[in-house]
Amino acid sequence: MKTDFCLNKQHIGTDFAILQRGKDLRECFRSDRKAIISMNESEKDLKATQQVKSKKRVAEHGEVFTNEREVNAMLDLVKHETERIDSRFLEPACGNGNFLVEVLRRKLGVVDSRYGKSQIEWERYAVIAVSSIYGVDILEDNALECQERLFSIFSKIYLGKFGTNCKLEFIKSIKFILKRNILWGDALDFTNPITKKPIVFSEWSMVTENMIKRRDFVFKFLVEKTHQFSIFNDEGNPAAIDEPVKDFPLIHFLKLG
């Protein structure tokens, strides 16, 4: 994962756009097709209409959600990136996903318009779109809700488009990617608030038509552009920041879950 991190809305490195909201840095999935269909049929849209969940959360965490109008206005400033399927976005204070939800909608809209006539093509580019979206939030319930909202939007579009031809293994792959990409953590100290383990993101790269590559990177070192002195390469020397902490073999994108 190439890095030239700058915490603002600019294009970063090789596609990494980070949405920053100043000092505001800061349930999961059902596994079977029946539950997924039920969730969408009931229109359980987890979209946050309120900007505040509670006064206590505002006081303790400065939690105020951005409403839809402002979200779209800000994303329109980088509209060309939100509509580029492989452009990576990281929201370091993602809340329950207001920004990331809209980014996903835009990306899947492009996938649908370009590749909607072929299911395998649609699936291939949809996995690229989903895997390019990252989020961190200091509150665990927000991170879980963000995962669920993103998955709900994806599954509603996918099931609505392909119906009984939908692949359960593909749905599971999307669930797995979102679980790796939307994390509970503190973007100020780059760790999980309880365990204090470092935040580790997965980079996903489509190497061939169907084979995807996963590499894991420590968030702190990507941001600070320092060497990972606690991680050593095969020669026993400190690994450079562009070296992953873990490298996974190629795998078919339908087999990730």
Side-chain angles (χ1 to χ4, degrees), residues 88 128 131 203-208 211-215 250-251:
R88 293 190 180 106
I128 294 173
S131 66
E203 175 200 58
W204 312 92
S205 303
M206 196 68 80
V207 177
T208 67
M211 303 299 285
I212 197 166
K213 179 72 173 177
R214 173 187 168 189
R215 300 191 303 164
L250 288 175
I251 186 172

mmCIF file of all heavy atoms in Angstrom, residues 88 128 131 203-208 211-215 250-251:
data_model
loop_
_atom_site.group_PDB
_atom_site.id
_atom_site.type_symbol
_atom_site.label_atom_id
_atom_site.label_comp_id
_atom_site.label_asym_id
_atom_site.label_seq_id
_atom_site.Cartn_x
_atom_site.Cartn_y
_atom_site.Cartn_z
ATOM 1 N N ARG A 88 -9.497 4.750 -3.429
ATOM 2 C CA ARG A 88 -9.628 4.350 -2.033
ATOM 3 C C ARG A 88 -9.988 5.540 -1.139
ATOM 4 O O ARG A 88 -9.395 6.602 -1.244
ATOM 5 C CB ARG A 88 -8.330 3.707 -1.537
ATOM 6 C CG ARG A 88 -8.011 2.382 -2.198
ATOM 7 C CD ARG A 88 -6.851 1.691 -1.487
ATOM 8 N NE ARG A 88 -6.543 0.415 -2.115
ATOM 9 C CZ ARG A 88 -5.496 0.191 -2.882
ATOM 10 N NH1 ARG A 88 -4.639 1.169 -3.127
ATOM 11 N NH2 ARG A 88 -5.285 -0.993 -3.407
ATOM 12 N N ILE A 128 -14.181 -4.678 -6.050
ATOM 13 C CA ILE A 128 -13.171 -3.616 -6.066
ATOM 14 C C ILE A 128 -13.724 -2.357 -5.403
ATOM 15 O O ILE A 128 -13.039 -1.697 -4.611
ATOM 16 C CB ILE A 128 -12.721 -3.316 -7.514
ATOM 17 C CG1 ILE A 128 -11.982 -4.515 -8.106
ATOM 18 C CG2 ILE A 128 -11.832 -2.067 -7.565
ATOM 19 C CD1 ILE A 128 -11.654 -4.375 -9.589
ATOM 20 N N SER A 131 -14.064 -2.972 -1.561
ATOM 21 C CA SER A 131 -12.763 -3.130 -0.897
ATOM 22 C C SER A 131 -11.952 -1.845 -0.864
ATOM 23 O O SER A 131 -10.930 -1.773 -0.179
ATOM 24 C CB SER A 131 -11.950 -4.234 -1.575
ATOM 25 O OG SER A 131 -11.583 -3.876 -2.896
ATOM 26 N N GLU A 203 -5.130 -4.177 2.539
ATOM 27 C CA GLU A 203 -5.178 -3.659 1.172
ATOM 28 C C GLU A 203 -5.596 -4.803 0.260
ATOM 29 O O GLU A 203 -5.081 -5.910 0.358
ATOM 30 C CB GLU A 203 -3.806 -3.147 0.749
ATOM 31 C CG GLU A 203 -3.756 -2.698 -0.707
ATOM 32 C CD GLU A 203 -2.327 -2.660 -1.234
ATOM 33 O OE1 GLU A 203 -1.649 -3.712 -1.201
ATOM 34 O OE2 GLU A 203 -1.889 -1.589 -1.670
ATOM 35 N N TRP A 204 -6.540 -4.510 -0.637
ATOM 36 C CA TRP A 204 -7.049 -5.511 -1.576
ATOM 37 C C TRP A 204 -6.706 -5.079 -2.991
ATOM 38 O O TRP A 204 -7.016 -3.954 -3.388
ATOM 39 C CB TRP A 204 -8.561 -5.655 -1.426
ATOM 40 C CG TRP A 204 -9.026 -5.810 -0.021
ATOM 41 C CD1 TRP A 204 -9.409 -4.821 0.841
ATOM 42 C CD2 TRP A 204 -9.149 -7.034 0.712
ATOM 43 N NE1 TRP A 204 -9.771 -5.354 2.052
ATOM 44 C CE2 TRP A 204 -9.620 -6.711 2.014
ATOM 45 C CE3 TRP A 204 -8.907 -8.382 0.410
ATOM 46 C CZ2 TRP A 204 -9.863 -7.681 2.988
ATOM 47 C CZ3 TRP A 204 -9.153 -9.335 1.385
ATOM 48 C CH2 TRP A 204 -9.618 -8.992 2.652
ATOM 49 N N SER A 205 -6.076 -5.961 -3.739
ATOM 50 C CA SER A 205 -5.692 -5.636 -5.118
ATOM 51 C C SER A 205 -6.086 -6.783 -6.036
ATOM 52 O O SER A 205 -5.708 -7.937 -5.796
ATOM 53 C CB SER A 205 -4.177 -5.406 -5.217
ATOM 54 O OG SER A 205 -3.759 -4.383 -4.338
ATOM 55 N N MET A 206 -6.856 -6.464 -7.077
ATOM 56 C CA MET A 206 -7.236 -7.473 -8.053
ATOM 57 C C MET A 206 -6.051 -7.676 -8.994
ATOM 58 O O MET A 206 -5.727 -6.807 -9.805
ATOM 59 C CB MET A 206 -8.477 -7.033 -8.815
ATOM 60 C CG MET A 206 -9.172 -8.139 -9.564
ATOM 61 S SD MET A 206 -9.948 -9.374 -8.484
ATOM 62 C CE MET A 206 -11.464 -8.529 -8.020
ATOM 63 N N VAL A 207 -5.395 -8.807 -8.875
ATOM 64 C CA VAL A 207 -4.167 -9.077 -9.629
ATOM 65 C C VAL A 207 -4.486 -9.626 -11.008
ATOM 66 O O VAL A 207 -3.865 -9.255 -11.999
ATOM 67 C CB VAL A 207 -3.257 -10.051 -8.849
ATOM 68 C CG1 VAL A 207 -2.015 -10.387 -9.664
ATOM 69 C CG2 VAL A 207 -2.867 -9.445 -7.505
ATOM 70 N N THR A 208 -5.434 -10.544 -11.091
ATOM 71 C CA THR A 208 -5.916 -11.055 -12.372
ATOM 72 C C THR A 208 -7.419 -10.831 -12.414
ATOM 73 O O THR A 208 -7.989 -10.188 -11.531
ATOM 74 C CB THR A 208 -5.591 -12.557 -12.533
ATOM 75 O OG1 THR A 208 -6.356 -13.298 -11.567
ATOM 76 C CG2 THR A 208 -4.105 -12.820 -12.311
ATOM 77 N N MET A 211 -8.539 -13.211 -9.345
ATOM 78 C CA MET A 211 -7.698 -13.460 -8.179
ATOM 79 C C MET A 211 -7.351 -12.150 -7.474
ATOM 80 O O MET A 211 -6.921 -11.177 -8.112
ATOM 81 C CB MET A 211 -6.427 -14.189 -8.583
ATOM 82 C CG MET A 211 -6.682 -15.507 -9.295
ATOM 83 S SD MET A 211 -7.598 -16.711 -8.296
ATOM 84 C CE MET A 211 -6.296 -17.230 -7.159
ATOM 85 N N ILE A 212 -7.528 -12.151 -6.164
ATOM 86 C CA ILE A 212 -7.313 -10.937 -5.385
ATOM 87 C C ILE A 212 -6.185 -11.149 -4.386
ATOM 88 O O ILE A 212 -5.983 -12.252 -3.871
ATOM 89 C CB ILE A 212 -8.618 -10.522 -4.661
ATOM 90 C CG1 ILE A 212 -8.558 -9.071 -4.188
ATOM 91 C CG2 ILE A 212 -8.960 -11.479 -3.527
ATOM 92 C CD1 ILE A 212 -9.910 -8.503 -3.771
ATOM 93 N N LYS A 213 -5.443 -10.089 -4.140
ATOM 94 C CA LYS A 213 -4.306 -10.121 -3.225
ATOM 95 C C LYS A 213 -4.615 -9.287 -1.999
ATOM 96 O O LYS A 213 -5.063 -8.144 -2.108
ATOM 97 C CB LYS A 213 -3.054 -9.561 -3.916
ATOM 98 C CG LYS A 213 -1.798 -9.526 -3.067
ATOM 99 C CD LYS A 213 -1.228 -10.893 -2.835
ATOM 100 C CE LYS A 213 0.127 -10.832 -2.128
ATOM 101 N NZ LYS A 213 0.657 -12.185 -1.837
ATOM 102 N N ARG A 214 -4.354 -9.853 -0.813
ATOM 103 C CA ARG A 214 -4.530 -9.127 0.449
ATOM 104 C C ARG A 214 -3.179 -8.915 1.107
ATOM 105 O O ARG A 214 -2.387 -9.842 1.245
ATOM 106 C CB ARG A 214 -5.446 -9.894 1.394
ATOM 107 C CG ARG A 214 -5.542 -9.289 2.798
ATOM 108 C CD ARG A 214 -6.334 -10.177 3.728
ATOM 109 N NE ARG A 214 -6.201 -9.748 5.122
ATOM 110 C CZ ARG A 214 -6.652 -10.444 6.164
ATOM 111 N NH1 ARG A 214 -7.264 -11.604 5.968
ATOM 112 N NH2 ARG A 214 -6.468 -9.990 7.391
ATOM 113 N N ARG A 215 -2.942 -7.664 1.532
ATOM 114 C CA ARG A 215 -1.753 -7.345 2.323
ATOM 115 C C ARG A 215 -2.192 -6.457 3.478
ATOM 116 O O ARG A 215 -2.984 -5.538 3.298
ATOM 117 C CB ARG A 215 -0.698 -6.618 1.482
ATOM 118 C CG ARG A 215 -0.190 -7.407 0.291
ATOM 119 C CD ARG A 215 1.026 -6.759 -0.352
ATOM 120 N NE ARG A 215 0.760 -5.389 -0.778
ATOM 121 C CZ ARG A 215 1.704 -4.493 -1.082
ATOM 122 N NH1 ARG A 215 2.984 -4.816 -0.989
ATOM 123 N NH2 ARG A 215 1.371 -3.275 -1.480
ATOM 124 N N LEU A 250 -2.596 -15.314 -3.196
ATOM 125 C CA LEU A 250 -3.710 -14.974 -4.075
ATOM 126 C C LEU A 250 -4.891 -15.900 -3.799
ATOM 127 O O LEU A 250 -4.713 -17.089 -3.510
ATOM 128 C CB LEU A 250 -3.301 -15.095 -5.540
ATOM 129 C CG LEU A 250 -2.346 -14.043 -6.105
ATOM 130 C CD1 LEU A 250 -1.972 -14.420 -7.535
ATOM 131 C CD2 LEU A 250 -2.977 -12.674 -6.075
ATOM 132 N N ILE A 251 -6.084 -15.344 -3.906
ATOM 133 C CA ILE A 251 -7.299 -16.125 -3.690
ATOM 134 C C ILE A 251 -8.394 -15.598 -4.607
ATOM 135 O O ILE A 251 -8.430 -14.406 -4.928
ATOM 136 C CB ILE A 251 -7.730 -16.055 -2.204
ATOM 137 C CG1 ILE A 251 -8.913 -16.985 -1.930
ATOM 138 C CG2 ILE A 251 -8.079 -14.614 -1.812
ATOM 139 C CD1 ILE A 251 -9.261 -17.107 -0.455
#
